[in-house]
Amino acid sequence: MSETKDYKKDFKALYLPKITPVIIDVPEITFVALQGKGNPNEKDGEYQKALGVLYSIQYAIKMSKKGKRAIEGYFDYVVPPLEGLWWLDKGETFSVKSKYNWISLIRLPEFVNEEVFQWACDEVSTKKVIETKVAKYIKIQEGLCVQCLHVGSYDSEPETLKKMENFCEENDLLIDLTNERRHHELYLSDPRKTDVSKLKTILRIPVKKR
């Protein structure tokens, strides 16, 4: 039996950082993604519905091994952690969560091309009656970034971001947030099952050399 691929174990630099900031060069990665706006904590809100779409597509691909569709190059894998790109419109502040813009993402295995992705979307639409046209197959190469593990509430993230900003200053790096390079979070804990004080979130910000 072939070994199940686990991206968190195979790419520890990307998914298992320490609680001190580090510099990382992020390669091109393929994702299933969905963009929206609004409070991520709103019950049955746009964000929560987006997660349902993303995971449905992911599991259609993962569980294809039990169906009639033979995907070329398929290997079994642990579904990677949920990720998110976050930003605000001009003049807004992060204290108003209903104003958050976001792109929710989950990494796709390397054997998934656009044709396989479309097949998975069609499977989910047909079998689960879920609208998947809003989901996108995208590739992102973040390049030079600084990242750090944040432990605790999402609301206390500014404390870790401050450490990251200080690290940038000390290492002659400039934070490089643009329309193409966003504030990035990777969620290692399930907030439904984890005490708030123990939530683990990777914070990643794009940077450039001064």
Side-chain angles (χ1 to χ4, degrees), residues 37-52 102:
K37 184 172 185 175
N39 186 342
N41 300 323
E42 181 184 353
K43 186 178 180 180
D44 299 324
E46 188 174 350
Y47 181 82
Q48 297 300 324
K49 291 177 181 177
L51 300 192
W102 42 262

Side-chain angles (χ1 to χ4, degrees), residues 21-23 146 163-171 173:
V22 294
I23 300 170
V146 167
K163 286 199 302 184
M164 296 167 72
E165 291 169 3
N166 292 340
F167 177 85
C168 290
E169 287 282 337
E170 294 164 3
N171 290 274
L173 296 170

Side-chain angles (χ1 to χ4, degrees), residues 91-149:
E92 302 292 351
T93 66
F94 273 109
S95 61
V96 184
K97 294 183 179 180
S98 62
K99 300 296 184 180
Y100 287 10
N101 293 293
W102 42 262
I103 299 176
S104 289
L105 313 146
I106 305 178
R107 182 176 185 155
L108 291 167
E110 290 77 9
F111 61 80
V112 178
N113 55 27
E114 292 191 60
E115 188 272 331
V116 171
F117 177 78
Q118 188 57 56
W119 167 82
C121 289
D122 292 342
E123 282 285 291
V124 171
S125 294
T126 301
K127 293 183 177 181
K128 294 193 174 184
V129 197
I130 292 176
E131 177 57 70
T132 58
K133 290 182 179 179
V134 289
K136 304 297 182 184
Y137 173 92
I138 64 172
K139 295 184 177 183
I140 301 176
Q141 184 168 0
E142 287 185 278
L144 193 66
C145 295
V146 167
Q147 71 177 20
C148 185
L149 179 64

Side-chain angles (χ1 to χ4, degrees), residues 47-81:
Y47 181 82
Q48 297 300 324
K49 291 177 181 177
L51 300 192
V53 175
L54 296 182
Y55 279 107
S56 294
I57 293 171
Q58 269 283 358
Y59 279 102
I61 295 167
K62 175 177 171 61
M63 301 312 295
S64 65
K65 63 184 178 180
K66 295 188 176 182
K68 296 179 180 179
R69 172 64 190 257
I71 299 175
E72 183 178 355
Y74 177 91
F75 53 80
D76 199 8
Y77 64 101
V78 177
V79 173

Side-chain angles (χ1 to χ4, degrees), residues 113-208:
N113 55 27
E114 292 191 60
E115 188 272 331
V116 171
F117 177 78
Q118 188 57 56
W119 167 82
C121 289
D122 292 342
E123 282 285 291
V124 171
S125 294
T126 301
K127 293 183 177 181
K128 294 193 174 184
V129 197
I130 292 176
E131 177 57 70
T132 58
K133 290 182 179 179
V134 289
K136 304 297 182 184
Y137 173 92
I138 64 172
K139 295 184 177 183
I140 301 176
Q141 184 168 0
E142 287 185 278
L144 193 66
C145 295
V146 167
Q147 71 177 20
C148 185
L149 179 64
H150 172 75
V151 180
S153 167
Y154 301 132
D155 291 335
S156 64
E157 286 180 6
E159 299 169 13
T160 299
L161 287 170
K162 182 61 178 176
K163 286 199 302 184
M164 296 167 72
E165 291 169 3
N166 292 340
F167 177 85
C168 290
E169 287 282 337
E170 294 164 3
N171 290 274
D172 290 327
L173 296 170
L174 296 173
I175 295 174
D176 189 32
L177 292 168
T178 68
N179 289 336
E180 289 74 38
R181 309 187 79 201
R182 306 290 192 184
H183 170 91
H184 192 166
E185 300 186 358
L186 298 85
Y187 307 103
L188 304 183
S189 305
D190 185 340
R192 299 169 301 176
K193 302 175 182 178
T194 309
D195 185 271
V196 172
S197 65
K198 297 180 180 179
L199 288 172
K200 292 183 178 181
T201 308
I202 300 172
L203 304 184
R204 185 182 293 164
I205 51 176
V207 297
K208 60 184 178 181

